[in-house]
Amino acid sequence: MTTDILRRNNVTVSGAGDRPMLFAHGFGCDQSMWQFVAPEFARDHKVVLYDLTGAGNSDLEAYDRQRYATLDGHADDILAICEALNLKDTILVGHSVSASSSVLAANARPDLFSRLILVSPSPCFLNTGDYRGGFSREELDGLLQVMDENYLGWARQMAPNIAGQAGGGPAADRLTQSFCRTDPDIASHFARVTFLSDHRDDLARLRVPALALHCDDDPIAPMTVAGWLKDNMPAATVSVMQVTGHCPHLVAPEETVREIRRYLDGG
Amino acid sequence: MADDDRLTGEAAMRELALDLLRDLPCGIAVSDPDGNLSYVNQTLADWLGPGVTDLGGRPQLSSLLTVPGRIFLQTHVMPMLRIQGFAREIACQLLRDGGPPLQVLLNAVLRKDAHGQPVRIDYSIFDASERSIYESQLRRARQEAEELAAIVRSSPNAILRVAGDGSVQAWNAGAEAHFGVGGAEALGRPVEELVALPATPHWFTTRSGAEETAFEARHGNGCEYEVTIAPIDRAAKDGPDYSVIFRDVTDRKNAERHLRLMVREMDHRVKNTLTVVNAIARQTLSSEQNKPFLERLLALTRAHDALTEAHWDVVDLRLLLEMIQAEAGGADRFSFSGPPVTLQPRQMTSLSMIFHELTTNALKYGSLSDGQGRIDTRHFFEGGDRPNRLIFEWVETGGPPVARVPGKSGFGSRMIRLLVQSEFAGAVETEYDAAGLRYRLTLNFPDAAN
């Protein structure tokens, strides 16, 4: 079972430190999303990376639509990895939708985690009532329909196109193929779970101390979401960075690392 | 002099490059690493429309896309650019000023400076509207094909595709179950060998042709099949393939056999019973009394024989009228006209009794009682949109003068009225015209599909 889950989720462990730092990537990518950030922590942490079930180099056969019909399935995976590696006092880092999964895991087993780092979290993408998640129901339905039609043809279409790209050596090929590998049906299912779930109550209930990193110009998680976090997450320190996009760990890795370090050192 | 030439050349090249860039048939855009646009070429500006070309506010690339594209840009494209430096052929939709979104394929390359720091992103954008139409047609066709394939796969019937030379091209799970040969094993083998029909060993060779054909046959496995052979794509160059469908009709055939047996048995019993009744009447009644009775019994027996011949299925009124015609002495004495009328066995029996009474009466007292007269009948439907009321008129002429017998109603008339009422919820009108008797029967056919 232990080796099973490590293989299933393509878990990689590195770093010189003892204190575990577990990174969970978000929708649409794999663990290579952390490549500009994780090495910075490897010198004094035990860095654990993995691919969400259904993404990257995980075992796609293991993607059970019932188990992963809610983020609880992904939260259980986080707990199972902690158990398999006997991780304690862990700093759990989750990006975007995995920030919500991280909160679910920490609410279930607060004893396993010392800190949570939530990168561009969004408990709910949908505008509902007074809450501004950023998207109307019609817009999200449009997205899901496009994915159902497999129009963007992500996944399968990407990989073959690497051939002939200048500067794409063997290393880049390996990276790209892993990075882009997603079964379109799984991507569509995960998109539904990601964009239609509402975990505001779970985030509000969090007791493990957390840092929420927010970009001030994020087309996916607008500033209204950061405002909601400030007002409703007593456990969280909300830090807004002047960064464009939804992936500060990719576009502004130094600043992201600095913010996380400052929080960890201060706490 | 040489410097001037070079400068002129560079300036010309520069101008040429700008012209090409402006007029390329694809959209070209440049943004900073965050996606804030600093340049769009004329083609892209034309696609976007006048409201978007003013770059004063430095719009973000994502603001030019519909929501799905915007989300994918953030969750996939931007990460790809950072990690691998490029993204290729991302299908998304451009918002257009005053028009429906334009389906495009987006390519992007992240440019870095000498220190490896990202400095800008270059985009090339291709109009994919035609490709997207083609793709959606393809998707629909694939979906239809998959549905059809699922139907064939899950059908309990054996469904095959057979080439003109008799070799199996496709073999569904139903065929596997019926004939005990797996799909992979069956492919390419002669169908007459895989499906042996002992009575007609060359069933495919002899029956496949330009037209669809169907027949029933017993298989070596004991089952009986209804076999349909139909050409697929008659226009094919080297002759059509055929769809061959085997439907297991063993149960139906058994039921039919059983039914035939039952009908035959019932016929025997009815005939025996009628014979016994005949014998009892002869022994019980005086010959004067039993004559009309035996005649009526004979009419019933004839009706029964006709039904037996028709396997107790429906018969047409015409059959009955032809029987009367024969009895009356041919077409000179008895004529009829009217549309086809389908009679159920019970209606047939009742009508045959009614006609027997009318004919007997005509032979005894009416227009057929001497050599002169005749009977003309006609029938027709009436009553609204779905006419289901049959009017049957019986007109006797040329016979002896009709003597009206008021107040007296014989057994025959009573039986006619009873049968018309009980079997057809109808009525009988009798007219004692001096020229001859006239009857008008009103018969209801509630389920008439006539």
Side-chain angles (χ1 to χ4, degrees):
Chain A
M1 179 61 202
T2 297
T3 52
D4 275 358
I5 189 158
L6 298 184
R7 200 179 306 130
R8 187 189 77 185
N9 288 95
N10 189 28
V11 177
T12 57
V13 183
S14 62
D18 292 330
R19 194 172 185 195
M21 205 162 171
L22 172 57
F23 292 82
H25 68 82
F27 167 75
C29 327
D30 72 4
Q31 59 183 280
S32 54
M33 289 287 281
W34 298 110
Q35 64 178 287
F36 302 133
V37 166
E40 295 299 317
F41 291 98
R43 57 189 159 87
D44 53 357
H45 288 82
K46 181 184 197 172
V47 168
V48 182
L49 302 174
Y50 76 103
D51 293 340
L52 300 192
T53 309
N57 274 326
S58 70
D59 178 7
L60 300 189
E61 297 290 315
Y63 193 83
D64 175 344
R65 278 167 177 67
Q66 300 236 283
R67 175 175 162 86
Y68 298 103
T70 66
L71 293 182
D72 291 317
H74 294 285
D76 288 345
D77 285 352
I78 292 174
L79 296 175
I81 291 169
C82 290
E83 191 185 343
L85 295 174
N86 196 23
L87 304 180
K88 296 209 166 61
D89 202 21
T90 302
I91 300 160
L92 176 57
V93 187
H95 173 227
S96 192
V97 64
S98 286
S100 295
S101 306
S102 297
V103 168
L104 293 175
N107 283 348
R109 288 292 306 275
D111 55 306
L112 290 179
F113 305 99
S114 63
R115 292 280 185 282
L116 258 54
I117 310 292
L118 312 177
V119 182
S120 302
S122 176
C124 176
F125 292 92
L126 188 68
N127 298 333
T128 166
D130 292 338
Y131 178 79
R132 299 287 94 183
F135 299 96
S136 70
R137 180 74 205 204
E138 290 74 32
E139 288 171 331
L140 291 181
D141 283 344
L143 168 74
L144 298 174
Q145 193 190 337
V146 165
M147 295 207 66
D148 281 345
E149 288 174 0
N150 192 16
Y151 213 106
L152 300 171
W154 280 98
R156 280 188 203 135
Q157 234 190 26
M158 284 301 116
N161 285 327
I162 314 150
Q165 178 70 26
D173 267 16
R174 184 184 51 77
L175 187 64
T176 311
Q177 281 167 17
S178 152
F179 181 70
C180 301
R181 185 180 300 147
T182 322
D183 178 277
D185 292 338
I186 294 178
S188 173
H189 184 261
F190 187 38
R192 201 168 292 278
V193 174
T194 297
F195 288 103
L196 297 184
S197 60
D198 181 352
H199 290 285
R200 284 177 291 168
D201 289 349
D202 299 300
L203 265 69
R205 201 162 46 232
L206 179 72
R207 290 297 166 262
V208 177
L211 168 68
L213 279 179
H214 205 88
C215 302
D216 69 345
D217 185 14
D218 181 346
I220 301 229
M223 283 302 289
T224 45
V225 174
W228 184 92
L229 297 173
K230 273 181 189 156
D231 294 342
N232 295 279
M233 261 188 102
T237 304
V238 179
S239 172
V240 176
M241 300 187 287
Q242 298 205 329
V243 171
T244 296
H246 188 57
C247 305
H249 46 322
L250 280 178
V251 301
E254 293 90 357
E255 197 179 343
T256 305
V257 169
R258 199 163 53 236
E259 285 296 313
I260 296 174
R261 282 233 179 254
R262 190 165 64 196
Y263 173 75
L264 292 177
D265 293 346
Chain B
M1 187 66 186
D3 278 2
D4 282 348
D5 274 345
R6 194 168 50 81
L7 284 173
T8 315
E10 259 185 22
M13 283 303 290
R14 187 181 157 78
E15 197 171 324
L16 177 65
L18 282 173
D19 283 350
L20 285 175
L21 191 60
R22 189 183 60 228
D23 297 334
L24 272 177
C26 67
I28 299 287
V30 177
S31 79
D32 68 13
D34 288 338
N36 300 304
L37 291 169
S38 54
Y39 171 79
V40 301
N41 75 341
Q42 193 60 44
T43 307
L44 181 54
D46 289 345
W47 286 345
L48 294 169
V52 197
T53 45
D54 172 21
L55 291 178
R58 295 195 8 119
Q60 282 240 332
L61 177 69
S62 66
S63 69
L64 305 183
L65 304 177
T66 58
V67 165
R70 218 174 285 170
I71 290 175
F72 273 89
L73 193 72
Q74 293 303 323
T75 56
H76 292 71
V77 179
M78 286 304 176
M80 270 191 232
L81 286 173
R82 293 290 169 157
I83 290 175
Q84 67 189 22
F86 66 92
R88 302 277 306 261
E89 297 200 3
I90 310 302
C92 48
Q93 294 187 322
L94 279 185
L95 292 170
R96 311 177 72 173
D97 193 15
L102 177 69
Q103 193 69 44
V104 295
L105 289 175
L106 176 80
N107 299 275
V109 181
L110 180 70
R111 307 288 183 192
K112 295 179 180 175
D113 63 14
H115 309 290
Q117 286 305 305
V119 288
R120 64 166 212 270
I121 304 171
D122 299 340
Y123 308 89
S124 53
I125 301 168
F126 295 88
D127 180 348
S129 40
E130 296 217 356
R131 172 174 151 160
S132 110
I133 291 169
Y134 165 73
E135 276 181 355
S136 69
Q137 285 170 347
L138 201 67
R139 202 163 47 238
R140 203 163 40 240
R142 192 178 61 192
Q143 199 175 350
E144 282 170 12
E146 279 171 0
E147 278 169 13
L148 260 180
I151 291 170
V152 170
R153 251 197 320 277
S154 58
S155 169
N157 298 334
I159 302 177
L160 334 179
R161 183 186 181 108
V162 180
D165 65 3
S167 61
V168 169
Q169 306 297 307
W171 181 266
N172 77 337
E176 207 170 314
H178 281 287
F179 307 126
V181 180
E185 201 186 329
L187 292 187
R189 285 176 57 190
V191 68
E192 288 172 350
E193 185 184 308
L194 291 169
V195 187
L197 305 178
T200 45
H202 302 296
W203 60 268
F204 180 77
T205 322
T206 52
R207 294 192 196 252
S208 58
E211 297 304 322
E212 178 177 323
T213 171
F215 59 96
E216 292 181 349
R218 184 184 284 275
H219 186 264
N221 64 11
C223 292
E224 286 182 79
Y225 293 99
E226 181 187 88
V227 189
T228 313
I229 305 178
I232 306 168
D233 187 11
R234 283 162 223 251
K237 225 176 23 263
D238 36 0
D241 280 5
Y242 295 87
S243 85
V244 182
I245 301 175
F246 293 84
R247 199 157 64 86
D248 186 346
V249 293
T250 313
D251 290 347
R252 195 194 78 201
K253 300 293 278 184
N254 284 341
E256 282 174 5
R257 264 191 293 276
H258 183 64
L259 195 66
R260 269 200 301 278
L261 206 70
M262 296 271 289
V263 168
R264 222 165 23 232
E265 177 64 18
M266 193 177 71
D267 282 344
H268 283 307
R269 292 193 180 199
V270 170
K271 268 226 167 91
N272 286 346
T273 307
L274 288 172
T275 310
V276 171
V277 171
N278 188 306
I280 293 172
R282 281 176 193 282
Q283 288 177 11
T284 313
L285 306 171
S286 69
S287 65
E288 196 180 312
Q289 285 172 318
N290 73 19
K291 190 162 179 282
F293 178 81
L294 291 178
E295 280 171 3
R296 284 175 179 136
L297 199 61
L298 188 66
L300 196 61
T301 308
R302 273 205 299 265
H304 175 253
D305 286 346
L307 281 170
T308 303
E309 215 163 289
H311 302 290
W312 288 87
D313 201 350
V314 294
V315 294
D316 196 89
L317 175 61
R318 188 183 176 85
L319 181 76
L320 267 182
L321 294 170
E322 280 169 351
M323 281 164 61
I324 304 172
Q325 196 174 51
E327 204 178 342
D332 291 344
R333 310 298 307 270
F334 186 89
S335 76
F336 54 87
S337 68
V341 179
T342 303
L343 301 176
Q344 299 297 325
R346 278 184 56 168
Q347 296 169 328
M348 152 79 177
T349 315
S350 302
L351 267 183
S352 75
M353 297 303 291
I354 291 166
F355 289 152
H356 169 74
E357 292 304 325
L358 295 179
T359 312
T360 307
N361 195 54
L363 283 166
K364 272 188 181 163
Y365 315 110
S367 60
L368 300 181
S369 61
D370 58 19
Q372 314 293 318
R374 56 179 288 121
I375 300 169
D376 298 287
T377 74
R378 65 177 193 125
H379 59 270
F380 51 90
F381 282 101
E382 64 169 37
D385 287 340
R386 291 189 55 212
N388 56 10
R389 186 182 307 140
L390 184 74
I391 306 298
F392 186 92
E393 291 177 346
W394 173 290
V395 179
E396 299 186 12
T397 49
V402 175
R404 186 169 184 184
V405 191
K408 184 170 184 288
S409 178
F411 172 75
S413 326
R414 287 208 303 278
M415 189 169 83
I416 290 172
R417 199 171 303 115
L418 197 71
L419 285 169
V420 165
Q421 281 168 357
S422 65
E423 201 59 55
F424 299 98
V428 191
E429 294 165 49
T430 313
E431 197 183 323
Y432 296 92
D433 193 283
L437 266 173
R438 288 165 179 264
Y439 298 99
R440 182 185 162 91
L441 309 184
T442 305
L443 309 171
N444 290 303
F445 285 74
D447 305 321
N450 286 292

